[in-house]
mmCIF file of all heavy atoms in Angstrom:
data_model
loop_
_atom_site.group_PDB
_atom_site.id
_atom_site.type_symbol
_atom_site.label_atom_id
_atom_site.label_comp_id
_atom_site.label_asym_id
_atom_site.label_seq_id
_atom_site.Cartn_x
_atom_site.Cartn_y
_atom_site.Cartn_z
ATOM 1 N N MET A 1298 0.831 -1.199 0.000
ATOM 2 C CA MET A 1298 0.000 0.000 0.000
ATOM 3 C C MET A 1298 0.870 1.254 0.000
ATOM 4 O O MET A 1298 2.004 1.218 0.451
ATOM 5 C CB MET A 1298 -0.904 0.010 1.239
ATOM 6 C CG MET A 1298 -0.129 0.070 2.565
ATOM 7 S SD MET A 1298 -1.182 0.299 3.998
ATOM 8 C CE MET A 1298 -1.439 2.077 3.939
ATOM 9 N N ASP A 1299 0.337 2.327 -0.510
ATOM 10 C CA ASP A 1299 1.058 3.589 -0.477
ATOM 11 C C ASP A 1299 0.770 4.301 0.847
ATOM 12 O O ASP A 1299 -0.336 4.236 1.357
ATOM 13 C CB ASP A 1299 0.598 4.489 -1.634
ATOM 14 C CG ASP A 1299 0.950 3.879 -2.985
ATOM 15 O OD1 ASP A 1299 1.668 2.864 -3.002
ATOM 16 O OD2 ASP A 1299 0.513 4.436 -3.995
ATOM 17 N N PHE A 1300 1.744 4.941 1.403
ATOM 18 C CA PHE A 1300 1.519 5.682 2.641
ATOM 19 C C PHE A 1300 2.480 6.859 2.726
ATOM 20 O O PHE A 1300 3.424 6.967 1.944
ATOM 21 C CB PHE A 1300 1.680 4.767 3.861
ATOM 22 C CG PHE A 1300 3.110 4.324 4.115
ATOM 23 C CD1 PHE A 1300 3.863 4.932 5.096
ATOM 24 C CD2 PHE A 1300 3.668 3.304 3.368
ATOM 25 C CE1 PHE A 1300 5.176 4.532 5.349
ATOM 26 C CE2 PHE A 1300 4.984 2.896 3.604
ATOM 27 C CZ PHE A 1300 5.725 3.506 4.596
ATOM 28 N N ASN A 1301 2.179 7.747 3.665
ATOM 29 C CA ASN A 1301 3.034 8.895 3.882
ATOM 30 C C ASN A 1301 3.732 8.727 5.219
ATOM 31 O O ASN A 1301 3.088 8.689 6.260
ATOM 32 C CB ASN A 1301 2.183 10.179 3.862
ATOM 33 C CG ASN A 1301 3.061 11.424 3.928
ATOM 34 O OD1 ASN A 1301 3.215 12.022 4.989
ATOM 35 N ND2 ASN A 1301 3.624 11.802 2.816
ATOM 36 N N GLY A 1302 5.022 8.574 5.171
ATOM 37 C CA GLY A 1302 5.771 8.342 6.396
ATOM 38 C C GLY A 1302 6.924 9.312 6.542
ATOM 39 O O GLY A 1302 7.301 9.999 5.598
ATOM 40 N N TYR A 1303 7.478 9.314 7.746
ATOM 41 C CA TYR A 1303 8.577 10.221 8.040
ATOM 42 C C TYR A 1303 9.914 9.526 7.830
ATOM 43 O O TYR A 1303 10.198 8.498 8.451
ATOM 44 C CB TYR A 1303 8.441 10.704 9.487
ATOM 45 C CG TYR A 1303 9.509 11.685 9.901
ATOM 46 C CD1 TYR A 1303 9.392 13.031 9.551
ATOM 47 C CD2 TYR A 1303 10.612 11.282 10.627
ATOM 48 C CE1 TYR A 1303 10.355 13.942 9.931
ATOM 49 C CE2 TYR A 1303 11.585 12.187 11.015
ATOM 50 C CZ TYR A 1303 11.453 13.519 10.662
ATOM 51 O OH TYR A 1303 12.415 14.420 11.040
ATOM 52 N N CYS A 1304 10.707 10.076 6.953
ATOM 53 C CA CYS A 1304 12.039 9.526 6.716
ATOM 54 C C CYS A 1304 13.020 10.184 7.673
ATOM 55 O O CYS A 1304 13.163 11.406 7.691
ATOM 56 C CB CYS A 1304 12.466 9.772 5.269
ATOM 57 S SG CYS A 1304 14.148 9.201 4.947
ATOM 58 N N VAL A 1305 13.693 9.360 8.483
ATOM 59 C CA VAL A 1305 14.601 9.901 9.489
ATOM 60 C C VAL A 1305 15.886 10.440 8.856
ATOM 61 O O VAL A 1305 16.577 11.269 9.430
ATOM 62 C CB VAL A 1305 14.947 8.839 10.556
ATOM 63 C CG1 VAL A 1305 13.728 8.487 11.370
ATOM 64 C CG2 VAL A 1305 15.540 7.604 9.916
ATOM 65 N N LYS A 1306 16.200 9.949 7.683
ATOM 66 C CA LYS A 1306 17.423 10.403 7.029
ATOM 67 C C LYS A 1306 17.207 11.742 6.320
ATOM 68 O O LYS A 1306 18.022 12.646 6.417
ATOM 69 C CB LYS A 1306 17.896 9.341 6.027
ATOM 70 C CG LYS A 1306 19.324 9.546 5.578
ATOM 71 C CD LYS A 1306 19.828 8.309 4.854
ATOM 72 C CE LYS A 1306 21.277 8.498 4.415
ATOM 73 N NZ LYS A 1306 21.773 7.332 3.686
ATOM 74 N N CYS A 1307 16.086 11.849 5.606
ATOM 75 C CA CYS A 1307 15.747 13.118 4.951
ATOM 76 C C CYS A 1307 15.211 14.135 5.957
ATOM 77 O O CYS A 1307 15.222 15.325 5.713
ATOM 78 C CB CYS A 1307 14.684 12.896 3.875
ATOM 79 S SG CYS A 1307 15.135 11.764 2.569
ATOM 80 N N ARG A 1308 14.702 13.615 7.083
ATOM 81 C CA ARG A 1308 14.019 14.439 8.074
ATOM 82 C C ARG A 1308 12.818 15.141 7.461
ATOM 83 O O ARG A 1308 12.539 16.308 7.741
ATOM 84 C CB ARG A 1308 14.968 15.466 8.703
ATOM 85 C CG ARG A 1308 16.069 14.784 9.492
ATOM 86 C CD ARG A 1308 16.903 15.786 10.231
ATOM 87 N NE ARG A 1308 17.984 15.126 10.975
ATOM 88 C CZ ARG A 1308 18.890 15.768 11.700
ATOM 89 N NH1 ARG A 1308 18.864 17.076 11.757
ATOM 90 N NH2 ARG A 1308 19.808 15.108 12.349
ATOM 91 N N LYS A 1309 12.142 14.429 6.572
ATOM 92 C CA LYS A 1309 10.945 14.962 5.933
ATOM 93 C C LYS A 1309 9.937 13.858 5.733
ATOM 94 O O LYS A 1309 10.282 12.674 5.725
ATOM 95 C CB LYS A 1309 11.297 15.574 4.558
ATOM 96 C CG LYS A 1309 11.978 16.908 4.662
ATOM 97 C CD LYS A 1309 12.251 17.475 3.285
ATOM 98 C CE LYS A 1309 12.913 18.846 3.428
ATOM 99 N NZ LYS A 1309 13.324 19.412 2.152
ATOM 100 N N LYS A 1310 8.697 14.276 5.520
ATOM 101 C CA LYS A 1310 7.648 13.314 5.174
ATOM 102 C C LYS A 1310 7.827 12.903 3.723
ATOM 103 O O LYS A 1310 8.072 13.738 2.862
ATOM 104 C CB LYS A 1310 6.277 13.962 5.361
ATOM 105 C CG LYS A 1310 5.951 14.263 6.809
ATOM 106 C CD LYS A 1310 5.191 13.113 7.431
ATOM 107 C CE LYS A 1310 4.648 13.530 8.793
ATOM 108 N NZ LYS A 1310 3.816 12.462 9.374
ATOM 109 N N ARG A 1311 7.699 11.606 3.502
ATOM 110 C CA ARG A 1311 7.846 11.104 2.138
ATOM 111 C C ARG A 1311 6.653 10.239 1.763
ATOM 112 O O ARG A 1311 6.134 9.487 2.588
ATOM 113 C CB ARG A 1311 9.111 10.253 2.024
ATOM 114 C CG ARG A 1311 10.398 11.017 2.224
ATOM 115 C CD ARG A 1311 10.622 12.017 1.125
ATOM 116 N NE ARG A 1311 11.957 12.621 1.225
ATOM 117 C CZ ARG A 1311 12.255 13.803 0.695
ATOM 118 N NH1 ARG A 1311 11.356 14.505 0.051
ATOM 119 N NH2 ARG A 1311 13.480 14.264 0.815
ATOM 120 N N ASP A 1312 6.250 10.330 0.516
ATOM 121 C CA ASP A 1312 5.215 9.443 0.003
ATOM 122 C C ASP A 1312 5.877 8.149 -0.429
ATOM 123 O O ASP A 1312 6.650 8.118 -1.381
ATOM 124 C CB ASP A 1312 4.498 10.090 -1.184
ATOM 125 C CG ASP A 1312 3.597 11.234 -0.731
ATOM 126 O OD1 ASP A 1312 2.927 11.080 0.309
ATOM 127 O OD2 ASP A 1312 3.560 12.265 -1.417
ATOM 128 N N VAL A 1313 5.584 7.090 0.290
ATOM 129 C CA VAL A 1313 6.202 5.795 0.021
ATOM 130 C C VAL A 1313 5.231 4.915 -0.739
ATOM 131 O O VAL A 1313 4.056 4.810 -0.372
ATOM 132 C CB VAL A 1313 6.615 5.115 1.339
ATOM 133 C CG1 VAL A 1313 7.262 3.766 1.075
ATOM 134 C CG2 VAL A 1313 7.556 6.017 2.125
ATOM 135 N N LYS A 1314 5.712 4.302 -1.788
ATOM 136 C CA LYS A 1314 4.872 3.408 -2.575
ATOM 137 C C LYS A 1314 5.178 1.945 -2.244
ATOM 138 O O LYS A 1314 6.300 1.609 -1.894
ATOM 139 C CB LYS A 1314 5.098 3.649 -4.069
ATOM 140 C CG LYS A 1314 4.575 5.003 -4.520
ATOM 141 C CD LYS A 1314 4.558 5.080 -6.037
ATOM 142 C CE LYS A 1314 4.015 6.423 -6.506
ATOM 143 N NZ LYS A 1314 2.628 6.649 -6.089
ATOM 144 N N ASP A 1315 4.165 1.129 -2.401
ATOM 145 C CA ASP A 1315 4.314 -0.314 -2.228
ATOM 146 C C ASP A 1315 4.856 -0.700 -0.848
ATOM 147 O O ASP A 1315 5.710 -1.569 -0.732
ATOM 148 C CB ASP A 1315 5.224 -0.900 -3.321
ATOM 149 C CG ASP A 1315 4.666 -0.647 -4.709
ATOM 150 O OD1 ASP A 1315 3.432 -0.666 -4.847
ATOM 151 O OD2 ASP A 1315 5.450 -0.427 -5.639
ATOM 152 N N GLY A 1316 4.357 -0.029 0.181
ATOM 153 C CA GLY A 1316 4.730 -0.413 1.528
ATOM 154 C C GLY A 1316 4.090 -1.744 1.897
ATOM 155 O O GLY A 1316 3.037 -2.101 1.394
ATOM 156 N N VAL A 1317 4.780 -2.466 2.770
ATOM 157 C CA VAL A 1317 4.290 -3.774 3.207
ATOM 158 C C VAL A 1317 3.753 -3.666 4.632
ATOM 159 O O VAL A 1317 4.440 -3.195 5.529
ATOM 160 C CB VAL A 1317 5.425 -4.815 3.152
ATOM 161 C CG1 VAL A 1317 4.927 -6.183 3.628
ATOM 162 C CG2 VAL A 1317 5.965 -4.902 1.731
ATOM 163 N N VAL A 1318 2.506 -4.114 4.807
ATOM 164 C CA VAL A 1318 1.892 -4.071 6.134
ATOM 165 C C VAL A 1318 2.314 -5.296 6.928
ATOM 166 O O VAL A 1318 2.201 -6.426 6.455
ATOM 167 C CB VAL A 1318 0.353 -4.020 6.019
ATOM 168 C CG1 VAL A 1318 -0.282 -4.020 7.412
ATOM 169 C CG2 VAL A 1318 -0.076 -2.780 5.245
ATOM 170 N N THR A 1319 2.812 -5.053 8.128
ATOM 171 C CA THR A 1319 3.196 -6.150 9.007
ATOM 172 C C THR A 1319 2.579 -5.913 10.381
ATOM 173 O O THR A 1319 2.114 -4.821 10.680
ATOM 174 C CB THR A 1319 4.722 -6.260 9.155
ATOM 175 O OG1 THR A 1319 5.236 -5.013 9.613
ATOM 176 C CG2 THR A 1319 5.378 -6.637 7.859
ATOM 177 N N GLN A 1320 2.604 -6.952 11.198
ATOM 178 C CA GLN A 1320 2.066 -6.830 12.550
ATOM 179 C C GLN A 1320 3.186 -7.042 13.558
ATOM 180 O O GLN A 1320 3.977 -7.972 13.433
ATOM 181 C CB GLN A 1320 0.958 -7.862 12.761
ATOM 182 C CG GLN A 1320 0.065 -7.521 13.943
ATOM 183 C CD GLN A 1320 -1.247 -8.278 13.875
ATOM 184 O OE1 GLN A 1320 -1.353 -9.277 13.189
ATOM 185 N NE2 GLN A 1320 -2.249 -7.803 14.578
ATOM 186 N N THR A 1321 3.239 -6.165 14.537
ATOM 187 C CA THR A 1321 4.290 -6.285 15.536
ATOM 188 C C THR A 1321 3.914 -7.354 16.547
ATOM 189 O O THR A 1321 2.785 -7.845 16.573
ATOM 190 C CB THR A 1321 4.500 -4.945 16.269
ATOM 191 O OG1 THR A 1321 3.330 -4.672 17.035
ATOM 192 C CG2 THR A 1321 4.739 -3.825 15.292
ATOM 193 N N THR A 1322 4.867 -7.693 17.401
ATOM 194 C CA THR A 1322 4.614 -8.717 18.417
ATOM 195 C C THR A 1322 3.585 -8.250 19.429
ATOM 196 O O THR A 1322 2.978 -9.061 20.119
ATOM 197 C CB THR A 1322 5.932 -9.069 19.146
ATOM 198 O OG1 THR A 1322 6.527 -7.872 19.613
ATOM 199 C CG2 THR A 1322 6.880 -9.784 18.221
ATOM 200 N N THR A 1323 3.387 -6.952 19.522
ATOM 201 C CA THR A 1323 2.389 -6.421 20.451
ATOM 202 C C THR A 1323 1.020 -6.292 19.803
ATOM 203 O O THR A 1323 0.096 -5.777 20.410
ATOM 204 C CB THR A 1323 2.831 -5.045 20.994
ATOM 205 O OG1 THR A 1323 3.119 -4.189 19.898
ATOM 206 C CG2 THR A 1323 4.043 -5.182 21.874
ATOM 207 N N GLY A 1324 0.910 -6.734 18.561
ATOM 208 C CA GLY A 1324 -0.385 -6.729 17.901
ATOM 209 C C GLY A 1324 -0.709 -5.469 17.130
ATOM 210 O O GLY A 1324 -1.775 -5.348 16.554
ATOM 211 N N ARG A 1325 0.210 -4.533 17.124
ATOM 212 C CA ARG A 1325 -0.034 -3.308 16.359
ATOM 213 C C ARG A 1325 0.371 -3.523 14.911
ATOM 214 O O ARG A 1325 1.311 -4.254 14.622
ATOM 215 C CB ARG A 1325 0.770 -2.147 16.942
ATOM 216 C CG ARG A 1325 0.343 -1.762 18.326
ATOM 217 C CD ARG A 1325 1.096 -0.544 18.808
ATOM 218 N NE ARG A 1325 0.687 0.654 18.066
ATOM 219 C CZ ARG A 1325 1.265 1.856 18.206
ATOM 220 N NH1 ARG A 1325 2.258 2.007 19.025
ATOM 221 N NH2 ARG A 1325 0.843 2.900 17.516
ATOM 222 N N LYS A 1326 -0.334 -2.837 14.038
ATOM 223 C CA LYS A 1326 -0.004 -2.939 12.626
ATOM 224 C C LYS A 1326 0.883 -1.783 12.213
ATOM 225 O O LYS A 1326 0.684 -0.654 12.628
ATOM 226 C CB LYS A 1326 -1.282 -2.940 11.784
ATOM 227 C CG LYS A 1326 -1.975 -4.279 11.772
ATOM 228 C CD LYS A 1326 -3.101 -4.278 10.770
ATOM 229 C CE LYS A 1326 -3.729 -5.664 10.683
ATOM 230 N NZ LYS A 1326 -4.861 -5.682 9.744
ATOM 231 N N MET A 1327 1.843 -2.097 11.375
ATOM 232 C CA MET A 1327 2.692 -1.051 10.843
ATOM 233 C C MET A 1327 2.987 -1.324 9.374
ATOM 234 O O MET A 1327 2.869 -2.444 8.904
ATOM 235 C CB MET A 1327 3.989 -0.932 11.643
ATOM 236 C CG MET A 1327 4.850 -2.167 11.663
ATOM 237 S SD MET A 1327 6.258 -1.987 12.761
ATOM 238 C CE MET A 1327 7.152 -0.660 11.962
ATOM 239 N N VAL A 1328 3.313 -0.273 8.673
ATOM 240 C CA VAL A 1328 3.625 -0.422 7.261
ATOM 241 C C VAL A 1328 5.065 0.017 7.040
ATOM 242 O O VAL A 1328 5.544 0.974 7.624
ATOM 243 C CB VAL A 1328 2.630 0.378 6.380
ATOM 244 C CG1 VAL A 1328 2.642 1.850 6.728
ATOM 245 C CG2 VAL A 1328 2.915 0.165 4.903
ATOM 246 N N LYS A 1329 5.748 -0.749 6.221
ATOM 247 C CA LYS A 1329 7.169 -0.526 6.002
ATOM 248 C C LYS A 1329 7.445 -0.367 4.512
ATOM 249 O O LYS A 1329 6.938 -1.143 3.702
ATOM 250 C CB LYS A 1329 7.943 -1.730 6.555
ATOM 251 C CG LYS A 1329 9.450 -1.580 6.530
ATOM 252 C CD LYS A 1329 10.120 -2.864 6.954
ATOM 253 C CE LYS A 1329 10.015 -3.066 8.459
ATOM 254 N NZ LYS A 1329 10.804 -4.250 8.888
ATOM 255 N N GLY A 1330 8.217 0.634 4.167
ATOM 256 C CA GLY A 1330 8.525 0.861 2.763
ATOM 257 C C GLY A 1330 9.888 1.512 2.604
ATOM 258 O O GLY A 1330 10.661 1.584 3.548
ATOM 259 N N THR A 1331 10.157 1.991 1.406
ATOM 260 C CA THR A 1331 11.459 2.574 1.113
ATOM 261 C C THR A 1331 11.303 4.025 0.668
ATOM 262 O O THR A 1331 10.464 4.323 -0.179
ATOM 263 C CB THR A 1331 12.156 1.773 -0.009
ATOM 264 O OG1 THR A 1331 12.218 0.399 0.377
ATOM 265 C CG2 THR A 1331 13.550 2.292 -0.252
ATOM 266 N N CYS A 1332 12.101 4.894 1.241
ATOM 267 C CA CYS A 1332 12.079 6.298 0.849
ATOM 268 C C CYS A 1332 12.492 6.420 -0.616
ATOM 269 O O CYS A 1332 13.527 5.882 -1.007
ATOM 270 C CB CYS A 1332 13.041 7.087 1.740
ATOM 271 S SG CYS A 1332 13.229 8.797 1.234
ATOM 272 N N PRO A 1333 11.686 7.117 -1.428
ATOM 273 C CA PRO A 1333 11.998 7.230 -2.864
ATOM 274 C C PRO A 1333 13.216 8.099 -3.137
ATOM 275 O O PRO A 1333 13.762 8.071 -4.231
ATOM 276 C CB PRO A 1333 10.728 7.864 -3.453
ATOM 277 C CG PRO A 1333 10.103 8.592 -2.304
ATOM 278 C CD PRO A 1333 10.436 7.796 -1.065
ATOM 279 N N VAL A 1334 13.660 8.851 -2.154
ATOM 280 C CA VAL A 1334 14.767 9.771 -2.360
ATOM 281 C C VAL A 1334 16.103 9.149 -1.942
ATOM 282 O O VAL A 1334 17.068 9.145 -2.689
ATOM 283 C CB VAL A 1334 14.533 11.089 -1.604
ATOM 284 C CG1 VAL A 1334 15.715 12.034 -1.755
ATOM 285 C CG2 VAL A 1334 13.252 11.750 -2.108
ATOM 286 N N CYS A 1335 16.147 8.590 -0.729
ATOM 287 C CA CYS A 1335 17.427 8.104 -0.207
ATOM 288 C C CYS A 1335 17.456 6.596 0.030
ATOM 289 O O CYS A 1335 18.461 6.062 0.470
ATOM 290 C CB CYS A 1335 17.771 8.832 1.087
ATOM 291 S SG CYS A 1335 16.691 8.385 2.452
ATOM 292 N N LYS A 1336 16.335 5.931 -0.246
ATOM 293 C CA LYS A 1336 16.249 4.468 -0.145
ATOM 294 C C LYS A 1336 16.332 3.932 1.278
ATOM 295 O O LYS A 1336 16.552 2.747 1.488
ATOM 296 C CB LYS A 1336 17.326 3.770 -0.998
ATOM 297 C CG LYS A 1336 17.421 4.289 -2.417
ATOM 298 C CD LYS A 1336 16.109 4.159 -3.135
ATOM 299 C CE LYS A 1336 16.241 4.672 -4.570
ATOM 300 N NZ LYS A 1336 14.945 4.755 -5.258
ATOM 301 N N THR A 1337 16.171 4.812 2.239
ATOM 302 C CA THR A 1337 16.136 4.358 3.628
ATOM 303 C C THR A 1337 14.766 3.751 3.931
ATOM 304 O O THR A 1337 13.760 4.165 3.366
ATOM 305 C CB THR A 1337 16.412 5.547 4.571
ATOM 306 O OG1 THR A 1337 17.760 5.969 4.377
ATOM 307 C CG2 THR A 1337 16.214 5.172 6.032
ATOM 308 N N THR A 1338 14.752 2.767 4.800
ATOM 309 C CA THR A 1338 13.481 2.169 5.194
ATOM 310 C C THR A 1338 12.663 3.156 6.022
ATOM 311 O O THR A 1338 13.162 3.744 6.972
ATOM 312 C CB THR A 1338 13.732 0.892 6.011
ATOM 313 O OG1 THR A 1338 14.470 -0.021 5.204
ATOM 314 C CG2 THR A 1338 12.418 0.249 6.427
ATOM 315 N N VAL A 1339 11.403 3.326 5.611
ATOM 316 C CA VAL A 1339 10.487 4.214 6.317
ATOM 317 C C VAL A 1339 9.349 3.379 6.880
ATOM 318 O O VAL A 1339 8.772 2.556 6.181
ATOM 319 C CB VAL A 1339 9.915 5.286 5.362
ATOM 320 C CG1 VAL A 1339 8.936 6.190 6.091
ATOM 321 C CG2 VAL A 1339 11.031 6.104 4.749
ATOM 322 N N THR A 1340 9.061 3.564 8.154
ATOM 323 C CA THR A 1340 7.968 2.815 8.776
ATOM 324 C C THR A 1340 6.953 3.773 9.356
ATOM 325 O O THR A 1340 7.258 4.925 9.673
ATOM 326 C CB THR A 1340 8.483 1.892 9.876
ATOM 327 O OG1 THR A 1340 9.142 2.667 10.864
ATOM 328 C CG2 THR A 1340 9.418 0.841 9.339
ATOM 329 N N ARG A 1341 5.747 3.254 9.499
ATOM 330 C CA ARG A 1341 4.700 4.062 10.119
ATOM 331 C C ARG A 1341 3.688 3.133 10.781
ATOM 332 O O ARG A 1341 3.268 2.131 10.189
ATOM 333 C CB ARG A 1341 4.005 4.910 9.054
ATOM 334 C CG ARG A 1341 2.887 5.753 9.643
ATOM 335 C CD ARG A 1341 2.193 6.570 8.592
ATOM 336 N NE ARG A 1341 1.109 7.328 9.210
ATOM 337 C CZ ARG A 1341 0.374 8.240 8.577
ATOM 338 N NH1 ARG A 1341 0.615 8.500 7.320
ATOM 339 N NH2 ARG A 1341 -0.580 8.866 9.196
ATOM 340 N N PHE A 1342 3.292 3.470 11.998
ATOM 341 C CA PHE A 1342 2.264 2.689 12.668
ATOM 342 C C PHE A 1342 0.904 3.049 12.099
ATOM 343 O O PHE A 1342 0.627 4.205 11.811
ATOM 344 C CB PHE A 1342 2.285 2.952 14.170
ATOM 345 C CG PHE A 1342 3.357 2.188 14.886
ATOM 346 C CD1 PHE A 1342 4.490 2.823 15.334
ATOM 347 C CD2 PHE A 1342 3.237 0.813 15.071
ATOM 348 C CE1 PHE A 1342 5.492 2.123 15.988
ATOM 349 C CE2 PHE A 1342 4.228 0.103 15.714
ATOM 350 C CZ PHE A 1342 5.350 0.757 16.171
ATOM 351 N N LEU A 1343 0.066 2.051 11.948
ATOM 352 C CA LEU A 1343 -1.282 2.270 11.445
ATOM 353 C C LEU A 1343 -2.250 2.385 12.625
ATOM 354 O O LEU A 1343 -2.016 1.782 13.667
ATOM 355 C CB LEU A 1343 -1.701 1.112 10.551
ATOM 356 C CG LEU A 1343 -0.859 0.902 9.294
ATOM 357 C CD1 LEU A 1343 -1.284 -0.372 8.579
ATOM 358 C CD2 LEU A 1343 -1.003 2.080 8.351
ATOM 359 N N PRO A 1344 -3.333 3.135 12.429
ATOM 360 C CA PRO A 1344 -4.342 3.205 13.473
ATOM 361 C C PRO A 1344 -4.897 1.825 13.776
ATOM 362 O O PRO A 1344 -5.142 1.036 12.862
ATOM 363 C CB PRO A 1344 -5.426 4.099 12.876
ATOM 364 C CG PRO A 1344 -4.740 4.863 11.792
ATOM 365 C CD PRO A 1344 -3.665 3.955 11.277
ATOM 366 N N SER A 1345 -5.098 1.521 15.029
ATOM 367 C CA SER A 1345 -5.515 0.173 15.415
ATOM 368 C C SER A 1345 -7.030 0.012 15.352
ATOM 369 O O SER A 1345 -7.691 -0.154 16.361
ATOM 370 C CB SER A 1345 -5.016 -0.133 16.821
ATOM 371 O OG SER A 1345 -5.491 0.848 17.708
ATOM 372 N N LYS A 1346 -7.565 0.143 14.153
ATOM 373 C CA LYS A 1346 -9.000 -0.057 13.978
ATOM 374 C C LYS A 1346 -9.251 -1.152 12.959
ATOM 375 O O LYS A 1346 -8.581 -1.210 11.959
ATOM 376 C CB LYS A 1346 -9.672 1.223 13.501
ATOM 377 C CG LYS A 1346 -9.823 2.247 14.591
ATOM 378 C CD LYS A 1346 -10.607 3.444 14.059
ATOM 379 C CE LYS A 1346 -10.267 4.678 14.848
ATOM 380 N NZ LYS A 1346 -10.731 5.892 14.213
HETATM 381 ZN ZN1 ZN B 1065 14.712 9.645 2.738
#
């Protein structure tokens, strides 16, 4: 899925394409993708609904 996450390397919000949704051990969902600018992994927690 596409999402907007914060890239710690760019220190900016980036629109990430083709992020992969995963579930943490605590049951929270998060999406993980790659920054289109610097290729750093960008993650974002999803609302738990
Ligand atoms: Zn970046």
Side-chain angles (χ1 to χ4, degrees):
M1298 63 172 279
D1299 296 352
F1300 70 101
N1301 186 260
Y1303 182 81
C1304 177
V1305 293
K1306 195 167 181 181
C1307 301
R1308 296 186 181 179
K1309 284 182 179 175
K1310 293 267 190 176
R1311 295 294 188 203
D1312 288 319
V1313 180
K1314 292 192 179 298
D1315 300 325
V1317 179
V1318 178
T1319 56
Q1320 198 162 19
T1321 67
T1322 52
T1323 54
R1325 295 184 69 186
K1326 281 188 176 178
M1327 60 186 296
V1328 58
K1329 186 186 285 186
T1331 305
C1332 174
V1334 177
C1335 69
K1336 311 302 181 189
T1337 293
T1338 300
V1339 179
T1340 59
R1341 179 181 178 174
F1342 280 106
L1343 298 174
S1345 56
K1346 285 185 205 167

